[in-house]
Amino acid sequence: MKYISTRGNVEPRGFIETVLMGLADDGGLMIPAEIPVISPATLVEWENLSYQELFLEIFLYYVNDEIPLEDLKEMVAKSYSTFRDPAITPVKPITDKLYVLELFHGPTFAFKDVALQFMGELYSYISKKQGEIIHILGATSGDTGAAAIQGVRGKEGIRICVLHPHQKVSKVQELQMTTVNDANVLNLSVKGNFDDCQRIIKELFGDLGFKGEHHLRAINSINFVRILAQTVYYFYAYLQVVKTNKDASINFSIPSGNFGNVFSGYLAKRMGLPVNKLIIATNENNILERFIQTGEYKPGDFLSTYSPSMDIQIASNFERYLYYLVGEDAEKVSAYMKKFQDEGQIVIGAEAMQQVHAEFAAYGVKNAECLQVISKYKANHEYLLDPHTACGIAAYETYSGDNEVCVSFATAHPAKFDEAIKLCNIEQVLPAEIQQLLVMPQYQTIVDNSKEEIVKQLEAFYSRATDVVEN
Ligand SMILES: Cc1ncc(COP(=O)(O)O)c(C=O)c1O
Ligand SMILES: N[C@@H](CCOP(=O)(O)O)C(=O)O
C-alpha cells in the first residue's frame, strides 16, 4: 500500500513515512493510493472478533510489511489495556431503532483515546526502532490534546506541545491537559479559537524547513493513521448491530467538527462496510450542515456552544472527502483549495451534490435543543448524554427513517461537560479520575494568537529538552 496527497505533489510513500509526514508536504492530506475492499464473506468471518483482533485485521491491509505482526499485536494490546470496558467501544441499545456506540471508555473519557492510545504506542515504536526524534505538535478544542498527552506520557524520545484556545475548553478538558507537569509536555493556551490554533500548526507544518529542523509530527486527524484507527469502531459497531437487525439499513450519526470521525466512516464505507447514511451532526458552528444543504462550503462566525469540542469552522478533513467527490482528481482539489484560501469559500455543483446527498445527511443543533435532548434521554431512558453526543442524537431523531437502525456515537463522557449537564438541572457523580483533577495545580503558558509567539515558545521548549532516543 502506498499513500499519496490529495493535492498530488508528493511522491507515493509507505505507511511509516506517511505517519511521520502528518500533513502532506504539498499542503494536502495523505490518503491511500487505493482503498482496499473487504468482501462480504470476510465481513461475516469478522463477526465474532474482539475489538483488538478486528483492529489487526483492518490495519494489516494498510501497514504493508513495515511493522511485523507480533510487534503490531503488542502495540494494540498495550493501547487498549488502558480502557475501562473490555469491549473497548461497547454498543448499547436505547430503543429498537437506536444504539449508542460508547467511545468514551479510554483514559481521558473521549473518543480520541481510541486512536491516540495507539498513536502513542506507534510513535514510541518508531522512535525506538528508527532512532527518530518525535516532537508532536497539535491543536485541540479540548479532547485531542488531553488524549494525545495521555497517549505519550512517560514515553521516551517524545515531546509534545498542544495549543488550545484560552478559556474555550471545558474545565475538565483544561485540567486533563494542564495538570500534567512532565518536562516533555508543553501546553500553550492561545488567546483565540480552535481555528486559530489549527491554522497556526498547519502553517508550521507547511514550513518544511522548520518542520524538518524540529522533527514536527502530527497527532491531529490530518494524520492518516488517526482516520484509519477510527474506522475500526465503525466495523465493530456494524458487526454487533447487524446480528439482531439483519434486514435493516444501518445509519451512523456522528457529532462532528473537524470531519475526521465522519471521514473515517466514509473510508469504512468505501472499504465495503454496508453503511446506509452517514448523518453529520454539528452544533451552531454548522459549516458542514450548510455545505450539505447548499453545496457552499464557507466558514461563518465562530460561536461558543455547550459542545465546545465541536466549535470549529474549518473542517480539516473536508479536503479528503473533496478528493473523492471530484473523482480522485488532485488537480481539481488543488484548484478548489486555492479558491478557498483566496476567496474563503468553495461551491460544489448540483450534479456532485446528488452524490453527496446519497451518502450524507446533516443537522445543526441549536444550544437550547442540545439541552432539551439531554434532559429528555435522562428522563425517558435513564441515559445521560454529553452535549456532543446529544447533537448526534438530535440529528438521528431528525433523520430516522422506516426500516432504518441508527448507531449514534457517544463521543465523550458527560463528566467532561458538567457545565452543560448542570444547566439541565441534572447532578452527576464525577468519576474518581476526573474528581481528583479538580484540586491539582495547573501548568500552562498563555500566549497571543500569533505564529511568531508559538515559534518562540517551541524553540525555547526544544532547547530545554535533553533526552536521547535509545535504540
Ligand atoms: C467530544 C467530541 N465530539 C465530536 C468531535 C468532532 O469530531 P471530528 O472533529 O472528528 O469531526 C470532537 C472533536 O473532534 C469531540 O471532541
Ligand atoms: N475536537 C477536536 C478538534 C481537533 O480534531 P482532530 O480530530 O483533528 O484532532 C479536539 O477535541 O481537539
Short mmCIF file of all heavy atoms in Angstrom, two decimals, residues 293-337:
data_model
loop_
_atom_site.label_atom_id
_atom_site.label_comp_id
_atom_site.label_asym_id
_atom_site.label_seq_id
_atom_site.Cartn_x
_atom_site.Cartn_y
_atom_site.Cartn_z
N GLN A 293 -26.57 21.19 2.74
CA GLN A 293 -27.83 21.77 2.25
C GLN A 293 -27.68 22.59 0.97
O GLN A 293 -28.56 22.58 0.12
CB GLN A 293 -28.46 22.63 3.35
CG GLN A 293 -29.09 21.75 4.43
CD GLN A 293 -29.53 22.55 5.63
OE1 GLN A 293 -29.30 23.76 5.71
NE2 GLN A 293 -30.15 21.88 6.59
N THR A 294 -26.55 23.29 0.85
CA THR A 294 -26.46 24.26 -0.25
C THR A 294 -25.33 24.00 -1.25
O THR A 294 -25.30 24.61 -2.32
CB THR A 294 -26.21 25.69 0.32
OG1 THR A 294 -24.91 25.68 0.95
CG2 THR A 294 -27.25 26.08 1.34
N GLY A 295 -24.37 23.17 -0.89
CA GLY A 295 -23.21 22.96 -1.76
C GLY A 295 -22.14 24.02 -1.55
O GLY A 295 -21.09 23.98 -2.19
N GLU A 296 -22.41 24.96 -0.65
CA GLU A 296 -21.43 26.03 -0.40
C GLU A 296 -20.67 25.72 0.88
O GLU A 296 -21.29 25.53 1.94
CB GLU A 296 -22.20 27.35 -0.25
CG GLU A 296 -21.30 28.54 -0.13
CD GLU A 296 -22.11 29.83 0.07
OE1 GLU A 296 -22.51 30.08 1.22
OE2 GLU A 296 -22.33 30.53 -0.92
N TYR A 297 -19.35 25.66 0.76
CA TYR A 297 -18.51 25.40 1.93
C TYR A 297 -17.83 26.72 2.30
O TYR A 297 -16.91 27.17 1.62
CB TYR A 297 -17.48 24.32 1.59
CG TYR A 297 -16.57 23.96 2.74
CD1 TYR A 297 -17.01 23.15 3.77
CD2 TYR A 297 -15.27 24.45 2.79
CE1 TYR A 297 -16.18 22.83 4.84
CE2 TYR A 297 -14.43 24.13 3.85
CZ TYR A 297 -14.90 23.32 4.86
OH TYR A 297 -14.08 23.01 5.92
N LYS A 298 -18.35 27.36 3.35
CA LYS A 298 -17.91 28.72 3.67
C LYS A 298 -18.00 28.93 5.18
O LYS A 298 -19.09 28.82 5.76
CB LYS A 298 -18.85 29.71 2.97
CG LYS A 298 -18.48 31.15 3.15
CD LYS A 298 -19.48 32.03 2.42
CE LYS A 298 -19.14 33.48 2.65
NZ LYS A 298 -20.20 34.35 2.18
N PRO A 299 -16.87 29.20 5.84
CA PRO A 299 -16.92 29.40 7.29
C PRO A 299 -17.83 30.57 7.67
O PRO A 299 -17.90 31.57 6.96
CB PRO A 299 -15.46 29.73 7.66
CG PRO A 299 -14.65 29.29 6.50
CD PRO A 299 -15.52 29.35 5.29
N GLY A 300 -18.54 30.42 8.79
CA GLY A 300 -19.35 31.51 9.32
C GLY A 300 -18.64 32.12 10.52
O GLY A 300 -17.44 31.92 10.70
N ASP A 301 -19.40 32.84 11.36
CA ASP A 301 -18.79 33.41 12.56
C ASP A 301 -18.65 32.32 13.61
O ASP A 301 -19.54 31.49 13.78
CB ASP A 301 -19.68 34.53 13.12
CG ASP A 301 -19.68 35.73 12.19
OD1 ASP A 301 -18.68 35.89 11.44
OD2 ASP A 301 -20.69 36.47 12.17
N PHE A 302 -17.54 32.38 14.35
CA PHE A 302 -17.29 31.40 15.41
C PHE A 302 -18.26 31.65 16.57
O PHE A 302 -18.46 32.76 17.01
CB PHE A 302 -15.85 31.55 15.90
CG PHE A 302 -15.52 30.69 17.07
CD1 PHE A 302 -15.02 29.41 16.88
CD2 PHE A 302 -15.74 31.13 18.36
CE1 PHE A 302 -14.74 28.60 17.96
CE2 PHE A 302 -15.46 30.33 19.46
CZ PHE A 302 -14.96 29.06 19.25
N LEU A 303 -18.88 30.55 17.07
CA LEU A 303 -19.79 30.67 18.21
C LEU A 303 -19.36 29.72 19.32
O LEU A 303 -18.99 28.58 19.05
CB LEU A 303 -21.22 30.29 17.78
CG LEU A 303 -21.86 31.19 16.73
CD1 LEU A 303 -23.08 30.52 16.11
CD2 LEU A 303 -22.25 32.52 17.36
N SER A 304 -19.41 30.18 20.58
CA SER A 304 -19.13 29.28 21.71
C SER A 304 -20.43 28.57 22.07
O SER A 304 -21.45 29.22 22.29
CB SER A 304 -18.61 30.07 22.91
OG SER A 304 -17.28 30.43 22.68
N THR A 305 -20.40 27.25 22.14
CA THR A 305 -21.61 26.48 22.41
C THR A 305 -21.41 25.56 23.62
O THR A 305 -20.33 25.53 24.20
CB THR A 305 -21.98 25.59 21.20
OG1 THR A 305 -21.01 24.54 21.13
CG2 THR A 305 -22.00 26.37 19.89
N TYR A 306 -22.45 24.77 23.93
CA TYR A 306 -22.33 23.80 25.04
C TYR A 306 -21.49 22.59 24.63
O TYR A 306 -21.17 21.76 25.47
CB TYR A 306 -23.72 23.32 25.49
CG TYR A 306 -24.60 24.43 26.01
CD1 TYR A 306 -25.94 24.52 25.66
CD2 TYR A 306 -24.08 25.40 26.88
CE1 TYR A 306 -26.75 25.53 26.14
CE2 TYR A 306 -24.88 26.42 27.35
CZ TYR A 306 -26.21 26.48 26.98
OH TYR A 306 -26.99 27.50 27.46
N SER A 307 -21.20 22.46 23.36
CA SER A 307 -20.35 21.34 22.90
C SER A 307 -19.06 21.93 22.33
O SER A 307 -18.87 21.96 21.11
CB SER A 307 -21.09 20.50 21.85
OG SER A 307 -21.73 21.34 20.89
N PRO A 308 -18.17 22.43 23.22
CA PRO A 308 -17.03 23.23 22.77
C PRO A 308 -16.06 22.49 21.86
O PRO A 308 -15.38 23.11 21.05
CB PRO A 308 -16.34 23.63 24.09
CG PRO A 308 -16.78 22.62 25.10
CD PRO A 308 -18.18 22.24 24.70
N SER A 309 -16.01 21.16 21.97
CA SER A 309 -15.06 20.43 21.11
C SER A 309 -15.47 20.50 19.65
O SER A 309 -14.66 20.21 18.76
CB SER A 309 -14.99 18.96 21.53
OG SER A 309 -14.46 18.88 22.81
N MET A 310 -16.73 20.84 19.40
CA MET A 310 -17.18 20.96 18.00
C MET A 310 -17.31 22.43 17.59
O MET A 310 -17.93 22.72 16.57
CB MET A 310 -18.51 20.24 17.81
CG MET A 310 -18.44 18.79 18.24
SD MET A 310 -19.78 17.71 17.75
CE MET A 310 -21.24 18.66 17.94
N ASP A 311 -16.74 23.33 18.37
CA ASP A 311 -16.74 24.74 17.98
C ASP A 311 -15.62 24.95 16.96
O ASP A 311 -14.52 25.44 17.27
CB ASP A 311 -16.57 25.64 19.21
CG ASP A 311 -17.79 25.61 20.11
OD1 ASP A 311 -18.85 25.10 19.67
OD2 ASP A 311 -17.71 26.09 21.26
N ILE A 312 -15.91 24.53 15.76
CA ILE A 312 -14.91 24.51 14.68
C ILE A 312 -15.59 25.04 13.42
O ILE A 312 -16.69 24.61 13.09
CB ILE A 312 -14.42 23.06 14.43
CG1 ILE A 312 -13.73 22.50 15.69
CG2 ILE A 312 -13.50 22.99 13.22
CD1 ILE A 312 -13.31 21.05 15.60
N GLN A 313 -14.93 25.95 12.73
CA GLN A 313 -15.49 26.45 11.48
C GLN A 313 -14.86 25.81 10.27
O GLN A 313 -15.53 25.54 9.28
CB GLN A 313 -15.34 27.98 11.41
CG GLN A 313 -16.35 28.73 12.26
CD GLN A 313 -17.78 28.56 11.75
OE1 GLN A 313 -18.01 28.34 10.57
NE2 GLN A 313 -18.74 28.63 12.66
N ILE A 314 -13.55 25.56 10.34
CA ILE A 314 -12.88 25.00 9.15
C ILE A 314 -12.58 23.53 9.41
O ILE A 314 -11.74 23.19 10.24
CB ILE A 314 -11.61 25.79 8.81
CG1 ILE A 314 -12.02 27.24 8.52
CG2 ILE A 314 -10.90 25.18 7.61
CD1 ILE A 314 -10.88 28.19 8.29
N ALA A 315 -13.32 22.67 8.72
CA ALA A 315 -13.25 21.23 8.98
C ALA A 315 -12.13 20.62 8.15
O ALA A 315 -12.27 20.40 6.95
CB ALA A 315 -14.59 20.60 8.63
N SER A 316 -11.03 20.39 8.83
CA SER A 316 -9.79 19.96 8.17
C SER A 316 -9.98 18.83 7.14
O SER A 316 -9.44 18.87 6.04
CB SER A 316 -8.87 19.51 9.28
OG SER A 316 -7.58 19.44 8.90
N ASN A 317 -10.74 17.80 7.53
CA ASN A 317 -10.84 16.61 6.66
C ASN A 317 -11.79 16.75 5.49
O ASN A 317 -11.93 15.82 4.70
CB ASN A 317 -11.26 15.40 7.49
CG ASN A 317 -10.10 14.90 8.30
OD1 ASN A 317 -9.24 14.22 7.78
ND2 ASN A 317 -10.06 15.29 9.56
N PHE A 318 -12.43 17.89 5.36
CA PHE A 318 -13.29 18.12 4.22
C PHE A 318 -12.50 17.89 2.92
O PHE A 318 -13.01 17.37 1.94
CB PHE A 318 -13.85 19.55 4.28
CG PHE A 318 -14.78 19.87 3.16
CD1 PHE A 318 -16.05 19.36 3.14
CD2 PHE A 318 -14.36 20.68 2.11
CE1 PHE A 318 -16.92 19.64 2.09
CE2 PHE A 318 -15.21 20.97 1.06
CZ PHE A 318 -16.50 20.45 1.05
N GLU A 319 -11.23 18.27 2.96
CA GLU A 319 -10.39 18.12 1.75
C GLU A 319 -10.27 16.66 1.33
O GLU A 319 -10.21 16.36 0.13
CB GLU A 319 -9.00 18.73 2.02
CG GLU A 319 -8.08 18.58 0.83
CD GLU A 319 -6.81 19.42 0.91
OE1 GLU A 319 -6.75 20.36 1.74
OE2 GLU A 319 -5.89 19.14 0.13
N ARG A 320 -10.22 15.76 2.32
CA ARG A 320 -10.11 14.34 1.94
C ARG A 320 -11.39 13.90 1.21
O ARG A 320 -11.33 13.22 0.20
CB ARG A 320 -9.90 13.47 3.18
CG ARG A 320 -8.48 13.48 3.71
CD ARG A 320 -8.23 12.35 4.70
NE ARG A 320 -6.82 12.22 5.02
CZ ARG A 320 -6.25 12.62 6.16
NH1 ARG A 320 -6.98 13.17 7.12
NH2 ARG A 320 -4.95 12.48 6.36
N TYR A 321 -12.53 14.34 1.70
CA TYR A 321 -13.79 13.96 1.04
C TYR A 321 -13.87 14.59 -0.35
O TYR A 321 -14.28 13.95 -1.33
CB TYR A 321 -14.99 14.35 1.91
CG TYR A 321 -16.29 14.04 1.20
CD1 TYR A 321 -16.61 12.73 0.84
CD2 TYR A 321 -17.16 15.06 0.82
CE1 TYR A 321 -17.76 12.44 0.13
CE2 TYR A 321 -18.32 14.77 0.12
CZ TYR A 321 -18.62 13.46 -0.22
OH TYR A 321 -19.75 13.18 -0.93
N LEU A 322 -13.45 15.86 -0.42
CA LEU A 322 -13.48 16.58 -1.70
C LEU A 322 -12.73 15.79 -2.78
O LEU A 322 -13.16 15.72 -3.93
CB LEU A 322 -12.83 17.96 -1.48
CG LEU A 322 -12.93 18.99 -2.58
CD1 LEU A 322 -14.39 19.33 -2.87
CD2 LEU A 322 -12.17 20.26 -2.19
N TYR A 323 -11.61 15.20 -2.37
CA TYR A 323 -10.80 14.41 -3.31
C TYR A 323 -11.64 13.32 -3.98
O TYR A 323 -11.58 13.11 -5.19
CB TYR A 323 -9.62 13.81 -2.55
CG TYR A 323 -8.73 12.92 -3.39
CD1 TYR A 323 -7.76 13.46 -4.23
CD2 TYR A 323 -8.88 11.53 -3.37
CE1 TYR A 323 -6.96 12.65 -5.02
CE2 TYR A 323 -8.08 10.70 -4.14
CZ TYR A 323 -7.13 11.26 -4.97
OH TYR A 323 -6.34 10.45 -5.75
N TYR A 324 -12.43 12.63 -3.18
CA TYR A 324 -13.26 11.56 -3.75
C TYR A 324 -14.46 12.13 -4.51
O TYR A 324 -14.86 11.61 -5.53
CB TYR A 324 -13.70 10.58 -2.65
CG TYR A 324 -12.48 9.85 -2.10
CD1 TYR A 324 -11.89 10.24 -0.90
CD2 TYR A 324 -11.89 8.83 -2.83
CE1 TYR A 324 -10.74 9.62 -0.45
CE2 TYR A 324 -10.74 8.20 -2.38
CZ TYR A 324 -10.16 8.60 -1.18
OH TYR A 324 -9.01 7.99 -0.75
N LEU A 325 -14.97 13.24 -4.00
CA LEU A 325 -16.14 13.86 -4.64
C LEU A 325 -15.82 14.32 -6.07
O LEU A 325 -16.66 14.24 -6.95
CB LEU A 325 -16.63 15.03 -3.77
CG LEU A 325 -17.92 15.70 -4.19
CD1 LEU A 325 -19.08 14.71 -4.16
CD2 LEU A 325 -18.23 16.89 -3.27
N VAL A 326 -14.58 14.79 -6.27
CA VAL A 326 -14.23 15.29 -7.62
C VAL A 326 -13.57 14.19 -8.46
O VAL A 326 -12.88 14.48 -9.45
CB VAL A 326 -13.31 16.55 -7.55
CG1 VAL A 326 -14.02 17.68 -6.86
CG2 VAL A 326 -11.97 16.24 -6.89
N GLY A 327 -13.79 12.95 -8.08
CA GLY A 327 -13.31 11.83 -8.90
C GLY A 327 -11.82 11.58 -8.76
O GLY A 327 -11.16 11.24 -9.75
N GLU A 328 -11.29 11.76 -7.54
CA GLU A 328 -9.87 11.48 -7.24
C GLU A 328 -8.95 12.28 -8.16
O GLU A 328 -7.95 11.77 -8.65
CB GLU A 328 -9.60 9.97 -7.30
CG GLU A 328 -10.52 9.19 -6.37
CD GLU A 328 -10.25 7.70 -6.29
OE1 GLU A 328 -9.08 7.31 -6.41
OE2 GLU A 328 -11.22 6.95 -6.09
N ASP A 329 -9.32 13.53 -8.38
CA ASP A 329 -8.55 14.39 -9.27
C ASP A 329 -7.82 15.44 -8.42
O ASP A 329 -8.41 16.43 -7.97
CB ASP A 329 -9.53 15.05 -10.26
CG ASP A 329 -8.83 15.92 -11.28
OD1 ASP A 329 -7.72 16.41 -10.97
OD2 ASP A 329 -9.40 16.12 -12.37
N ALA A 330 -6.52 15.20 -8.20
CA ALA A 330 -5.74 16.06 -7.30
C ALA A 330 -5.63 17.49 -7.83
O ALA A 330 -5.56 18.44 -7.05
CB ALA A 330 -4.36 15.46 -7.07
N GLU A 331 -5.63 17.63 -9.16
CA GLU A 331 -5.53 19.00 -9.71
C GLU A 331 -6.77 19.80 -9.35
O GLU A 331 -6.70 20.98 -9.01
CB GLU A 331 -5.40 18.94 -11.23
CG GLU A 331 -3.95 18.92 -11.65
CD GLU A 331 -3.79 18.87 -13.15
OE1 GLU A 331 -4.59 19.51 -13.86
OE2 GLU A 331 -2.87 18.17 -13.60
N LYS A 332 -7.94 19.13 -9.45
CA LYS A 332 -9.18 19.83 -9.10
C LYS A 332 -9.18 20.20 -7.62
O LYS A 332 -9.60 21.30 -7.24
CB LYS A 332 -10.40 18.94 -9.39
CG LYS A 332 -10.86 18.99 -10.82
CD LYS A 332 -12.21 18.34 -10.97
CE LYS A 332 -12.58 18.20 -12.44
NZ LYS A 332 -13.57 17.18 -12.69
N VAL A 333 -8.70 19.27 -6.76
CA VAL A 333 -8.65 19.56 -5.33
C VAL A 333 -7.76 20.78 -5.07
O VAL A 333 -8.13 21.70 -4.34
CB VAL A 333 -8.13 18.35 -4.50
CG1 VAL A 333 -7.98 18.72 -3.03
CG2 VAL A 333 -9.07 17.16 -4.64
N SER A 334 -6.59 20.79 -5.71
CA SER A 334 -5.67 21.92 -5.52
C SER A 334 -6.34 23.22 -5.92
O SER A 334 -6.22 24.24 -5.23
CB SER A 334 -4.40 21.73 -6.36
OG SER A 334 -3.75 20.56 -5.99
N ALA A 335 -7.06 23.19 -7.06
CA ALA A 335 -7.72 24.41 -7.53
C ALA A 335 -8.79 24.86 -6.54
O ALA A 335 -8.90 26.05 -6.21
CB ALA A 335 -8.32 24.18 -8.91
N TYR A 336 -9.58 23.89 -6.05
CA TYR A 336 -10.62 24.23 -5.06
C TYR A 336 -9.98 24.81 -3.78
O TYR A 336 -10.47 25.79 -3.23
CB TYR A 336 -11.43 22.99 -4.68
CG TYR A 336 -12.65 22.75 -5.54
CD1 TYR A 336 -12.81 21.55 -6.23
CD2 TYR A 336 -13.66 23.70 -5.63
CE1 TYR A 336 -13.95 21.31 -7.00
CE2 TYR A 336 -14.80 23.47 -6.41
CZ TYR A 336 -14.94 22.28 -7.08
OH TYR A 336 -16.05 22.05 -7.83
N MET A 337 -8.91 24.18 -3.31
CA MET A 337 -8.31 24.63 -2.05
C MET A 337 -7.66 26.01 -2.22
O MET A 337 -7.64 26.81 -1.29
CB MET A 337 -7.31 23.60 -1.50
CG MET A 337 -7.93 22.28 -1.08
SD MET A 337 -9.46 22.40 -0.08
CE MET A 337 -8.88 23.11 1.45
#
